[in-house]
Amino acid sequence: MSPEPTPAGPAPRLALATVCLSGTLQDKLAAAATAGFDGVEIFAPDLLADPAPPSEIGARCRDLGLSVDLYQPLRDIDSTDPDRFAANLRRADATFEVMAGLGADTVLVCSSVSPDAVADTDRLAGQLHTLAGRAHERGLRIAYEALAWGRHVGTWDASWDAVRTADHPALGLCLDSFHVLARGSDPAPVADVPGEKLFFLQLADARELSMDVLSWSRHHRLFPGQGGFDLPGFLAPVLAAGYTGPLSLEVFNDVFRQADPVRTAVDARRSLIALAEATARRAPGGAGTDPVATPAPALTGTAFVELTAGPELGRVLRALGFSRTGVHRTKQVERYEQGGARILVNAAGAANGDGAGGSAVAAIAVESADPVASARRAARLCAAPVPRVTGPGEAELAGVAAPDGTAVFLCRTADDGPGPAWPHDFVAVDEPPAAGTGITGIDHVGLTQPYDAFDEAVLFHRAVLGLDTVADGEFAAPFGLVRSRALADPDRRVRLALTVSVLRRGGWSPAVADPQYVALACDDVLATAAAAQAAGVPLLPVPANYHDDLAARLELPAATLAAYRGLGVLHERDAHGDYLQVCTELLGGRLFLALVQRTGAHDGHGWTDAPVRMAAHRRSRLARV
Amino acid sequence: MSPEPTPAGPAPRLALATVCLSGTLQDKLAAAATAGFDGVEIFAPDLLADPAPPSEIGARCRDLGLSVDLYQPLRDIDSTDPDRFAANLRRADATFEVMAGLGADTVLVCSSVSPDAVADTDRLAGQLHTLAGRAHERGLRIAYEALAWGRHVGTWDASWDAVRTADHPALGLCLDSFHVLARGSDPAPVADVPGEKLFFLQLADARELSMDVLSWSRHHRLFPGQGGFDLPGFLAPVLAAGYTGPLSLEVFNDVFRQADPVRTAVDARRSLIALAEATARRAPGGAGTDPVATPAPALTGTAFVELTAGPELGRVLRALGFSRTGVHRTKQVERYEQGGARILVNAAGAANGDGAGGSAVAAIAVESADPVASARRAARLCAAPVPRVTGPGEAELAGVAAPDGTAVFLCRTADDGPGPAWPHDFVAVDEPPAAGTGITGIDHVGLTQPYDAFDEAVLFHRAVLGLDTVADGEFAAPFGLVRSRALADPDRRVRLALTVSVLRRGGWSPAVADPQYVALACDDVLATAAAAQAAGVPLLPVPANYHDDLAARLELPAATLAAYRGLGVLHERDAHGDYLQVCTELLGGRLFLALVQRTGAHDGHGWTDAPVRMAAHRRSRLARV
């Protein structure tokens, strides 16, 4: 067991821009407070649409325990036209008035995108100096930021040139990770900027997308850890420079804009905690950012998957060669095992299952090298605990709810720690063990995510479990595009395959809703599937057209191809190896099982063939209705 | 009245690619047939996921009255590696086998994107010649297409170089409007290609978007008339060259991929009919494409808007200065008038209105210069007629259902045609006329569109009514991004403002659902709004913060600003003029009225201020609950 680490220094304050959230200003402030943020950035249009005067809004923030760390933005301030510049200063005065009411001392000034923007650095610096002087008189500060698409100032070092040249105590930089990293700028030299000139820091991640940077920025930003940017590599030099302000998120995202703001705010806060931790681990200078910087304990495998019982599940597991090895001491749960694969079947859940049959993934238990540290870490990362009744002498299973509602238990199967391990909760049954069909373990679990929770789920599993992205893509399914993301530990002992509709499904959605599956690993899928078929497992038929095409693409022996046709094998090949799978029919409304064989270093999850599988599942479901 | 035009030649055959539609192959073929298409392109992955052998699929198509005009695609055929090329030819043979089953004689071969693609034109032509020879032996043809992102062949003229050099009777070009127009290539020289070498034509429109061409092509294609490409300018030279094959749509679109395929197919067919017509009108050489090429009759104004009656509507119209001028002879409909604004209030609809109060836009009637020709045109463009009972002596109102369900009537108000005009359906009431408040007409109607029907609605109103796009954008509303598109006739006598959520709304959507409004024109909105307010019209309060910001941006006299605050004026200014509006509270669950004054040539629809208005409507609705 790891000792509770001791705090290493004051934690940075965490802030959230109102642009990250859906709703009116009132909704947004309440959500930020509920999630435990220390402060907010208030976006001007949110304030303009609110009926309360700024002083009342400021008071509301204080009542909620939120400071107003930034008011934003003041746009297109500098101008080559003196009259325009004078009008802009009057506009700034009105903004200062609002800030006084709010109790905000810093305003964000973006580099101008206007045709009359000032190109000459000295002239620009002069105008910024004038602006800063007016702010200073009121005890306010100007944080100047380079928009990536600014007319003349588009990089952080160009903004630093202007700020350094202006040389005014009330003028400093606002750094935005998106603008810096989207342009591929190196953040390392930020470490040389005097810390007191770094007035504000805005953090955002993003997927690598090929589109104009403005659309990318305004629609597809993500919270740190959800995209592909190196945020710890950005934050480290900022902290090394001596920045002491809040870590603040400014994330424009189409999905977050229409999702429950409380949920988004919790996701946001989790991202900052994980980022501070990752930064502290990587950069010695950043250690002070994270008082409890413990890496996620290593995962050593999937302990078990718990399924709610549909009418067919027990029979199918037995036909697949699983042995029923135990029943729970106090709960209506049966344990089935084969090789390293352990599946719990929970009869209590059946009543709450979906109307079409009940079987669904209720829980995933991962083997942690240190379950206590894993649980502590999960709690720190705002994971909601799963309430669980533990009977006398039973194992203390620490469980948290993933964003899709699946319970995630952090546990150990071996008897090498204090207290009983989870297998002790089961009483052995007096049944002869099944012969088995060659299933060796659980390869992965596939879970369709709720539309609004996909990026949240990615971050959750990366941060809480320490998994990382091994595949990120999308495919054209019969009823719409599907986004896919696979997560795994470095040794590929625990894998999760997450999918979501690219657009939220509407009225026309006759597909299987929100499918889930458990992929069972085997070394010879043809043998395992043949045994399963012989034992009466309902295998999913695959169209002959698919195998005809496969034969034209791969050189396969005729006997293999014949076996493929008879068993419904789907076969993907890439440069690293092969991925073969045989799926069962749906066991109820949404769950199926898959037999999976990997050869070489194939790291896929069957997504190339998923459209064929999805059409087949729909077809056989229709045939049974 | 215009005479029924006489057909000018055989109409081209209309085809649809299965990639345009959602569903399995079976869903897609049924939808294409239902919409009246002559043929289909079958996308290989659709076939691979279908359990029927190709011969059965071909028979199914014939039973549905569909020819299989193209099988697609055969990718990455040429190769610098002779072994790979030989393997590719074997793959092609398997494809030819499928085509024979289907009864398809043409296959699409895309320019290769593979690292081993052949760069040298002569060598590429040689390999294509070999491929064409094998196809020829089976009576099949190769249509070679340049993908915009092809490795070496990325433009239509590069593909033509290869085809010309290969010089094989079974090898010709497939032209795809997207690939040509997205790269900004000039399609005019296509007119010089021998017609018999143009084997196939794929049509797609798109909005102008700044993103990589591959993502643009795979997610955001539109049917002709929905985007910004000059499709008539593309089709004309193709027809001038002597192309006689089908006009076929190949549109990859994220929304269409998950929408009702029958509805999408009807939308698709409408787009081709309108395109053929527009091409015939513009290019003399293209006249044969359209047997009934009549332009949409000019629209001369909004005859009336019909609203279903909520409890407050009659009172509010009277307080707005409308006179009740008639009641319908046989229906529970009242007519209200002021200036050129006519509003019908239909009490029968109230019972069917939404639960929150009932008022909604039931119909829009536009004044057509030739209602009979307008109606004939609408029918030809697959518009669904609105069933309507006409009493003895009543006007024959030709009505069609717009994609959002609103009835659109094509009529005349003046008594200058055969039969009675619609005002004759009303019996005058013996009431003194109201004094009026200065309302002069109907400026526009604002309609939230169903999520799946936005692009369909744009095309519907462009094609059926002859309106065109005057604004196309999006804005950040409190509960998510909103896409906006304004349509108008050239003289701005009829305007429609369409909006839709950028992402389909989910569980968190506490905003007013699907708002609608009627914008009433006036020359002095301050005077009209003041009179309305005095008469008890519930005007929507606008936050003081908004007016404070307005004062900082525009130089407005203090008295004007005071009036703005008192009346809730929203004021937008651009280079062309000003747009002032005052909105009422919601009259029931979703409908409000707006008083609108335009100065100069302002062509907007209040979308800059829409977020403020939307937050205010939500607030006042919550206050009333």
Side-chain angles (χ1 to χ4, degrees), chain A residues 22-23 27 49 52 210 212 219 474 478 508 545 618-619, chain B residues 22-23 27 49 52 210 212 219 254 474 478 508 545 618-619:
Chain A
S22 188
D27 297 319
S210 312
D212 68 302
H219 297 276
E474 66 186 33
W508 166 255
N545 295 333
R618 183 212 181 195
R619 203 159 42 237
Chain B
S22 187
D27 297 319
S210 313
D212 68 302
H219 296 277
D254 291 0
E474 66 185 36
W508 165 254
N545 295 333
R618 183 213 180 195
R619 202 159 45 234

PDB file of all heavy atoms in Angstrom, chain A residues 22-23 27 49 52 210 212 219 474 478 508 545 618-619, chain B residues 22-23 27 49 52 210 212 219 254 474 478 508 545 618-619:
ATOM      1  N   SER A  22     -22.981  25.413 -21.206  1.00  0.00           N
ATOM      2  CA  SER A  22     -24.281  25.720 -21.782  1.00  0.00           C
ATOM      3  C   SER A  22     -25.123  26.475 -20.765  1.00  0.00           C
ATOM      4  O   SER A  22     -24.932  26.323 -19.569  1.00  0.00           O
ATOM      5  CB  SER A  22     -24.982  24.411 -22.162  1.00  0.00           C
ATOM      6  OG  SER A  22     -26.167  24.652 -22.878  1.00  0.00           O
ATOM      7  N   GLY A  23     -26.047  27.288 -21.276  1.00  0.00           N
ATOM      8  CA  GLY A  23     -27.013  27.939 -20.386  1.00  0.00           C
ATOM      9  C   GLY A  23     -26.856  29.439 -20.325  1.00  0.00           C
ATOM     10  O   GLY A  23     -26.056  30.046 -21.033  1.00  0.00           O
ATOM     11  N   ASP A  27     -27.072  29.854 -14.937  1.00  0.00           N
ATOM     12  CA  ASP A  27     -26.805  28.410 -15.004  1.00  0.00           C
ATOM     13  C   ASP A  27     -25.307  28.135 -14.884  1.00  0.00           C
ATOM     14  O   ASP A  27     -24.876  27.184 -14.218  1.00  0.00           O
ATOM     15  CB  ASP A  27     -27.243  27.832 -16.364  1.00  0.00           C
ATOM     16  CG  ASP A  27     -28.735  27.956 -16.629  1.00  0.00           C
ATOM     17  OD1 ASP A  27     -29.519  27.726 -15.704  1.00  0.00           O
ATOM     18  OD2 ASP A  27     -29.098  28.280 -17.785  1.00  0.00           O
ATOM     19  N   ALA A  49     -26.610  39.474 -21.660  1.00  0.00           N
ATOM     20  CA  ALA A  49     -27.926  38.840 -21.716  1.00  0.00           C
ATOM     21  C   ALA A  49     -28.508  38.622 -20.322  1.00  0.00           C
ATOM     22  O   ALA A  49     -29.596  38.068 -20.201  1.00  0.00           O
ATOM     23  CB  ALA A  49     -27.827  37.505 -22.457  1.00  0.00           C
ATOM     24  N   ALA A  52     -29.334  41.217 -14.398  1.00  0.00           N
ATOM     25  CA  ALA A  52     -28.793  41.835 -13.191  1.00  0.00           C
ATOM     26  C   ALA A  52     -27.656  42.786 -13.536  1.00  0.00           C
ATOM     27  O   ALA A  52     -26.862  42.514 -14.440  1.00  0.00           O
ATOM     28  CB  ALA A  52     -28.298  40.748 -12.235  1.00  0.00           C
ATOM     29  N   SER A 210      -7.671  18.802 -39.544  1.00  0.00           N
ATOM     30  CA  SER A 210      -7.235  19.615 -40.678  1.00  0.00           C
ATOM     31  C   SER A 210      -8.343  20.586 -41.028  1.00  0.00           C
ATOM     32  O   SER A 210      -9.206  20.256 -41.830  1.00  0.00           O
ATOM     33  CB  SER A 210      -6.962  18.745 -41.897  1.00  0.00           C
ATOM     34  OG  SER A 210      -6.184  17.658 -41.557  1.00  0.00           O
ATOM     35  N   ASP A 212      -9.385  25.140 -40.917  1.00  0.00           N
ATOM     36  CA  ASP A 212      -8.840  26.455 -40.620  1.00  0.00           C
ATOM     37  C   ASP A 212      -8.853  26.636 -39.105  1.00  0.00           C
ATOM     38  O   ASP A 212      -9.742  26.158 -38.404  1.00  0.00           O
ATOM     39  CB  ASP A 212      -9.634  27.547 -41.315  1.00  0.00           C
ATOM     40  CG  ASP A 212     -11.035  27.701 -40.770  1.00  0.00           C
ATOM     41  OD1 ASP A 212     -11.790  26.702 -40.800  1.00  0.00           O
ATOM     42  OD2 ASP A 212     -11.369  28.791 -40.293  1.00  0.00           O
ATOM     43  N   HIS A 219     -15.038  25.599 -32.411  1.00  0.00           N
ATOM     44  CA  HIS A 219     -15.988  24.479 -32.352  1.00  0.00           C
ATOM     45  C   HIS A 219     -15.431  23.235 -31.671  1.00  0.00           C
ATOM     46  O   HIS A 219     -16.178  22.433 -31.159  1.00  0.00           O
ATOM     47  CB  HIS A 219     -16.418  24.070 -33.768  1.00  0.00           C
ATOM     48  CG  HIS A 219     -17.156  25.132 -34.506  1.00  0.00           C
ATOM     49  ND1 HIS A 219     -18.501  25.333 -34.351  1.00  0.00           N
ATOM     50  CD2 HIS A 219     -16.739  26.077 -35.384  1.00  0.00           C
ATOM     51  CE1 HIS A 219     -18.897  26.346 -35.129  1.00  0.00           C
ATOM     52  NE2 HIS A 219     -17.842  26.813 -35.749  1.00  0.00           N
ATOM     53  N   GLU A 474     -13.189   7.262 -36.903  1.00  0.00           N
ATOM     54  CA  GLU A 474     -14.626   7.156 -37.080  1.00  0.00           C
ATOM     55  C   GLU A 474     -14.916   6.240 -38.258  1.00  0.00           C
ATOM     56  O   GLU A 474     -14.052   6.016 -39.113  1.00  0.00           O
ATOM     57  CB  GLU A 474     -15.286   8.527 -37.250  1.00  0.00           C
ATOM     58  CG  GLU A 474     -14.922   9.270 -38.482  1.00  0.00           C
ATOM     59  CD  GLU A 474     -15.524  10.683 -38.491  1.00  0.00           C
ATOM     60  OE1 GLU A 474     -15.658  11.307 -37.421  1.00  0.00           O
ATOM     61  OE2 GLU A 474     -15.843  11.171 -39.588  1.00  0.00           O
ATOM     62  N   PRO A 478     -24.273   1.726 -40.732  1.00  0.00           N
ATOM     63  CA  PRO A 478     -25.452   1.817 -41.596  1.00  0.00           C
ATOM     64  C   PRO A 478     -26.393   2.968 -41.243  1.00  0.00           C
ATOM     65  O   PRO A 478     -27.041   3.521 -42.126  1.00  0.00           O
ATOM     66  CB  PRO A 478     -26.155   0.469 -41.367  1.00  0.00           C
ATOM     67  CG  PRO A 478     -25.082  -0.461 -40.903  1.00  0.00           C
ATOM     68  CD  PRO A 478     -24.112   0.391 -40.142  1.00  0.00           C
ATOM     69  N   TRP A 508     -35.249   8.516 -36.973  1.00  0.00           N
ATOM     70  CA  TRP A 508     -34.860   7.428 -37.861  1.00  0.00           C
ATOM     71  C   TRP A 508     -33.629   6.769 -37.287  1.00  0.00           C
ATOM     72  O   TRP A 508     -32.502   7.188 -37.548  1.00  0.00           O
ATOM     73  CB  TRP A 508     -34.585   7.961 -39.274  1.00  0.00           C
ATOM     74  CG  TRP A 508     -33.869   6.959 -40.140  1.00  0.00           C
ATOM     75  CD1 TRP A 508     -32.544   7.002 -40.499  1.00  0.00           C
ATOM     76  CD2 TRP A 508     -34.401   5.782 -40.770  1.00  0.00           C
ATOM     77  NE1 TRP A 508     -32.232   5.937 -41.286  1.00  0.00           N
ATOM     78  CE2 TRP A 508     -33.347   5.164 -41.474  1.00  0.00           C
ATOM     79  CE3 TRP A 508     -35.666   5.183 -40.783  1.00  0.00           C
ATOM     80  CZ2 TRP A 508     -33.516   3.990 -42.198  1.00  0.00           C
ATOM     81  CZ3 TRP A 508     -35.833   4.022 -41.501  1.00  0.00           C
ATOM     82  CH2 TRP A 508     -34.776   3.434 -42.202  1.00  0.00           C
ATOM     83  N   ASN A 545     -21.307 -12.164 -49.317  1.00  0.00           N
ATOM     84  CA  ASN A 545     -20.640 -11.089 -50.067  1.00  0.00           C
ATOM     85  C   ASN A 545     -19.378 -10.607 -49.345  1.00  0.00           C
ATOM     86  O   ASN A 545     -18.386 -10.262 -49.980  1.00  0.00           O
ATOM     87  CB  ASN A 545     -21.591  -9.900 -50.257  1.00  0.00           C
ATOM     88  CG  ASN A 545     -22.788 -10.249 -51.124  1.00  0.00           C
ATOM     89  OD1 ASN A 545     -22.709 -11.141 -51.970  1.00  0.00           O
ATOM     90  ND2 ASN A 545     -23.896  -9.545 -50.927  1.00  0.00           N
ATOM     91  N   ARG A 618     -28.793  -5.951 -36.769  1.00  0.00           N
ATOM     92  CA  ARG A 618     -30.117  -5.378 -36.994  1.00  0.00           C
ATOM     93  C   ARG A 618     -31.003  -6.388 -37.726  1.00  0.00           C
ATOM     94  O   ARG A 618     -32.161  -6.581 -37.393  1.00  0.00           O
ATOM     95  CB  ARG A 618     -30.000  -4.108 -37.831  1.00  0.00           C
ATOM     96  CG  ARG A 618     -31.361  -3.473 -38.017  1.00  0.00           C
ATOM     97  CD  ARG A 618     -31.488  -2.775 -39.330  1.00  0.00           C
ATOM     98  NE  ARG A 618     -32.799  -2.171 -39.448  1.00  0.00           N
ATOM     99  CZ  ARG A 618     -33.312  -1.749 -40.574  1.00  0.00           C
ATOM    100  NH1 ARG A 618     -32.612  -1.842 -41.675  1.00  0.00           N
ATOM    101  NH2 ARG A 618     -34.507  -1.242 -40.622  1.00  0.00           N
ATOM    102  N   ARG A 619     -30.429  -7.029 -38.747  1.00  0.00           N
ATOM    103  CA  ARG A 619     -31.193  -7.956 -39.565  1.00  0.00           C
ATOM    104  C   ARG A 619     -31.723  -9.103 -38.705  1.00  0.00           C
ATOM    105  O   ARG A 619     -32.896  -9.446 -38.770  1.00  0.00           O
ATOM    106  CB  ARG A 619     -30.293  -8.500 -40.662  1.00  0.00           C
ATOM    107  CG  ARG A 619     -31.007  -9.014 -41.861  1.00  0.00           C
ATOM    108  CD  ARG A 619     -30.078  -9.062 -43.076  1.00  0.00           C
ATOM    109  NE  ARG A 619     -28.746  -9.553 -42.726  1.00  0.00           N
ATOM    110  CZ  ARG A 619     -27.636  -8.874 -42.947  1.00  0.00           C
ATOM    111  NH1 ARG A 619     -27.662  -7.690 -43.534  1.00  0.00           N
ATOM    112  NH2 ARG A 619     -26.473  -9.378 -42.619  1.00  0.00           N
TER     113      ARG A 619
ATOM    114  N   SER B  22     -29.303   6.828 -45.475  1.00  0.00           N
ATOM    115  CA  SER B  22     -29.132   6.055 -44.248  1.00  0.00           C
ATOM    116  C   SER B  22     -29.781   4.688 -44.407  1.00  0.00           C
ATOM    117  O   SER B  22     -30.717   4.524 -45.175  1.00  0.00           O
ATOM    118  CB  SER B  22     -29.811   6.805 -43.101  1.00  0.00           C
ATOM    119  OG  SER B  22     -29.541   6.200 -41.856  1.00  0.00           O
ATOM    120  N   GLY B  23     -29.262   3.716 -43.681  1.00  0.00           N
ATOM    121  CA  GLY B  23     -29.906   2.406 -43.640  1.00  0.00           C
ATOM    122  C   GLY B  23     -29.072   1.309 -44.252  1.00  0.00           C
ATOM    123  O   GLY B  23     -27.920   1.504 -44.653  1.00  0.00           O
ATOM    124  N   ASP B  27     -33.060  -0.833 -47.230  1.00  0.00           N
ATOM    125  CA  ASP B  27     -33.708   0.453 -46.940  1.00  0.00           C
ATOM    126  C   ASP B  27     -33.448   1.447 -48.061  1.00  0.00           C
ATOM    127  O   ASP B  27     -34.325   2.207 -48.479  1.00  0.00           O
ATOM    128  CB  ASP B  27     -33.127   1.081 -45.661  1.00  0.00           C
ATOM    129  CG  ASP B  27     -33.349   0.258 -44.409  1.00  0.00           C
ATOM    130  OD1 ASP B  27     -34.442  -0.290 -44.249  1.00  0.00           O
ATOM    131  OD2 ASP B  27     -32.401   0.176 -43.591  1.00  0.00           O
ATOM    132  N   ALA B  49     -22.457  -5.875 -46.883  1.00  0.00           N
ATOM    133  CA  ALA B  49     -23.199  -6.095 -45.644  1.00  0.00           C
ATOM    134  C   ALA B  49     -24.577  -6.692 -45.902  1.00  0.00           C
ATOM    135  O   ALA B  49     -25.340  -6.901 -44.966  1.00  0.00           O
ATOM    136  CB  ALA B  49     -23.334  -4.771 -44.880  1.00  0.00           C
ATOM    137  N   ALA B  52     -27.962 -11.034 -49.402  1.00  0.00           N
ATOM    138  CA  ALA B  52     -28.374 -11.597 -50.691  1.00  0.00           C
ATOM    139  C   ALA B  52     -27.208 -11.601 -51.664  1.00  0.00           C
ATOM    140  O   ALA B  52     -26.385 -10.679 -51.673  1.00  0.00           O
ATOM    141  CB  ALA B  52     -29.524 -10.782 -51.266  1.00  0.00           C
ATOM    142  N   SER B 210     -13.802  26.115 -44.886  1.00  0.00           N
ATOM    143  CA  SER B 210     -12.332  26.085 -44.836  1.00  0.00           C
ATOM    144  C   SER B 210     -11.892  24.836 -44.095  1.00  0.00           C
ATOM    145  O   SER B 210     -11.748  24.859 -42.883  1.00  0.00           O
ATOM    146  CB  SER B 210     -11.785  27.300 -44.090  1.00  0.00           C
ATOM    147  OG  SER B 210     -12.393  28.475 -44.511  1.00  0.00           O
ATOM    148  N   ASP B 212      -9.806  20.710 -44.826  1.00  0.00           N
ATOM    149  CA  ASP B 212      -9.150  19.892 -45.825  1.00  0.00           C
ATOM    150  C   ASP B 212     -10.214  19.271 -46.709  1.00  0.00           C
ATOM    151  O   ASP B 212     -11.302  18.931 -46.253  1.00  0.00           O
ATOM    152  CB  ASP B 212      -8.270  18.823 -45.165  1.00  0.00           C
ATOM    153  CG  ASP B 212      -9.080  17.772 -44.438  1.00  0.00           C
ATOM    154  OD1 ASP B 212      -9.852  18.151 -43.534  1.00  0.00           O
ATOM    155  OD2 ASP B 212      -8.945  16.597 -44.765  1.00  0.00           O
ATOM    156  N   HIS B 219     -17.964  14.560 -45.374  1.00  0.00           N
ATOM    157  CA  HIS B 219     -18.938  14.894 -44.317  1.00  0.00           C
ATOM    158  C   HIS B 219     -19.953  15.950 -44.731  1.00  0.00           C
ATOM    159  O   HIS B 219     -21.045  15.990 -44.197  1.00  0.00           O
ATOM    160  CB  HIS B 219     -18.212  15.414 -43.072  1.00  0.00           C
ATOM    161  CG  HIS B 219     -17.321  14.424 -42.423  1.00  0.00           C
ATOM    162  ND1 HIS B 219     -17.785  13.488 -41.549  1.00  0.00           N
ATOM    163  CD2 HIS B 219     -15.989  14.205 -42.546  1.00  0.00           C
ATOM    164  CE1 HIS B 219     -16.777  12.732 -41.128  1.00  0.00           C
ATOM    165  NE2 HIS B 219     -15.674  13.138 -41.730  1.00  0.00           N
ATOM    166  N   ASP B 254     -23.169  13.992 -43.218  1.00  0.00           N
ATOM    167  CA  ASP B 254     -23.358  13.400 -41.886  1.00  0.00           C
ATOM    168  C   ASP B 254     -24.824  13.362 -41.471  1.00  0.00           C
ATOM    169  O   ASP B 254     -25.252  12.413 -40.806  1.00  0.00           O
ATOM    170  CB  ASP B 254     -22.575  14.198 -40.832  1.00  0.00           C
ATOM    171  CG  ASP B 254     -21.074  14.037 -40.977  1.00  0.00           C
ATOM    172  OD1 ASP B 254     -20.638  13.315 -41.889  1.00  0.00           O
ATOM    173  OD2 ASP B 254     -20.344  14.643 -40.172  1.00  0.00           O
ATOM    174  N   GLU B 474     -23.981  31.215 -38.479  1.00  0.00           N
ATOM    175  CA  GLU B 474     -24.380  30.561 -37.244  1.00  0.00           C
ATOM    176  C   GLU B 474     -24.070  31.474 -36.078  1.00  0.00           C
ATOM    177  O   GLU B 474     -23.268  32.403 -36.196  1.00  0.00           O
ATOM    178  CB  GLU B 474     -23.728  29.181 -37.089  1.00  0.00           C
ATOM    179  CG  GLU B 474     -22.246  29.185 -36.923  1.00  0.00           C
ATOM    180  CD  GLU B 474     -21.675  27.739 -36.893  1.00  0.00           C
ATOM    181  OE1 GLU B 474     -22.197  26.883 -37.602  1.00  0.00           O
ATOM    182  OE2 GLU B 474     -20.702  27.530 -36.178  1.00  0.00           O
ATOM    183  N   PRO B 478     -27.756  30.630 -26.106  1.00  0.00           N
ATOM    184  CA  PRO B 478     -27.436  30.186 -24.740  1.00  0.00           C
ATOM    185  C   PRO B 478     -27.380  28.667 -24.578  1.00  0.00           C
ATOM    186  O   PRO B 478     -26.627  28.162 -23.753  1.00  0.00           O
ATOM    187  CB  PRO B 478     -28.583  30.771 -23.907  1.00  0.00           C
ATOM    188  CG  PRO B 478     -29.094  31.935 -24.687  1.00  0.00           C
ATOM    189  CD  PRO B 478     -28.896  31.565 -26.124  1.00  0.00           C
ATOM    190  N   TRP B 508     -30.556  18.130 -21.919  1.00  0.00           N
ATOM    191  CA  TRP B 508     -30.342  19.470 -21.360  1.00  0.00           C
ATOM    192  C   TRP B 508     -30.734  20.485 -22.419  1.00  0.00           C
ATOM    193  O   TRP B 508     -29.935  20.837 -23.281  1.00  0.00           O
ATOM    194  CB  TRP B 508     -28.885  19.663 -20.952  1.00  0.00           C
ATOM    195  CG  TRP B 508     -28.522  21.101 -20.704  1.00  0.00           C
ATOM    196  CD1 TRP B 508     -27.769  21.903 -21.514  1.00  0.00           C
ATOM    197  CD2 TRP B 508     -28.877  21.925 -19.583  1.00  0.00           C
ATOM    198  NE1 TRP B 508     -27.630  23.153 -20.979  1.00  0.00           N
ATOM    199  CE2 TRP B 508     -28.304  23.207 -19.786  1.00  0.00           C
ATOM    200  CE3 TRP B 508     -29.638  21.726 -18.428  1.00  0.00           C
ATOM    201  CZ2 TRP B 508     -28.457  24.257 -18.889  1.00  0.00           C
ATOM    202  CZ3 TRP B 508     -29.786  22.784 -17.528  1.00  0.00           C
ATOM    203  CH2 TRP B 508     -29.205  24.021 -17.755  1.00  0.00           C
ATOM    204  N   ASN B 545     -27.817  45.726 -19.193  1.00  0.00           N
ATOM    205  CA  ASN B 545     -26.425  45.503 -19.619  1.00  0.00           C
ATOM    206  C   ASN B 545     -26.303  45.589 -21.135  1.00  0.00           C
ATOM    207  O   ASN B 545     -25.300  46.076 -21.663  1.00  0.00           O
ATOM    208  CB  ASN B 545     -25.935  44.124 -19.155  1.00  0.00           C
ATOM    209  CG  ASN B 545     -25.860  44.018 -17.648  1.00  0.00           C
ATOM    210  OD1 ASN B 545     -25.684  45.027 -16.953  1.00  0.00           O
ATOM    211  ND2 ASN B 545     -26.007  42.802 -17.124  1.00  0.00           N
ATOM    212  N   ARG B 618     -36.495  32.857 -22.382  1.00  0.00           N
ATOM    213  CA  ARG B 618     -36.454  31.757 -21.426  1.00  0.00           C
ATOM    214  C   ARG B 618     -36.737  32.273 -20.018  1.00  0.00           C
ATOM    215  O   ARG B 618     -37.478  31.673 -19.265  1.00  0.00           O
ATOM    216  CB  ARG B 618     -35.075  31.095 -21.460  1.00  0.00           C
ATOM    217  CG  ARG B 618     -35.035  29.910 -20.531  1.00  0.00           C
ATOM    218  CD  ARG B 618     -33.696  29.712 -19.901  1.00  0.00           C
ATOM    219  NE  ARG B 618     -33.697  28.566 -19.016  1.00  0.00           N
ATOM    220  CZ  ARG B 618     -32.768  28.339 -18.138  1.00  0.00           C
ATOM    221  NH1 ARG B 618     -31.748  29.151 -18.047  1.00  0.00           N
ATOM    222  NH2 ARG B 618     -32.837  27.293 -17.346  1.00  0.00           N
ATOM    223  N   ARG B 619     -36.117  33.408 -19.700  1.00  0.00           N
ATOM    224  CA  ARG B 619     -36.267  33.977 -18.358  1.00  0.00           C
ATOM    225  C   ARG B 619     -37.725  34.303 -18.067  1.00  0.00           C
ATOM    226  O   ARG B 619     -38.259  33.944 -17.026  1.00  0.00           O
ATOM    227  CB  ARG B 619     -35.410  35.233 -18.270  1.00  0.00           C
ATOM    228  CG  ARG B 619     -35.029  35.655 -16.896  1.00  0.00           C
ATOM    229  CD  ARG B 619     -33.802  36.544 -16.934  1.00  0.00           C
ATOM    230  NE  ARG B 619     -33.894  37.544 -17.988  1.00  0.00           N
ATOM    231  CZ  ARG B 619     -32.979  37.731 -18.940  1.00  0.00           C
ATOM    232  NH1 ARG B 619     -31.913  36.990 -18.980  1.00  0.00           N
ATOM    233  NH2 ARG B 619     -33.146  38.665 -19.831  1.00  0.00           N
TER     234      ARG B 619
END
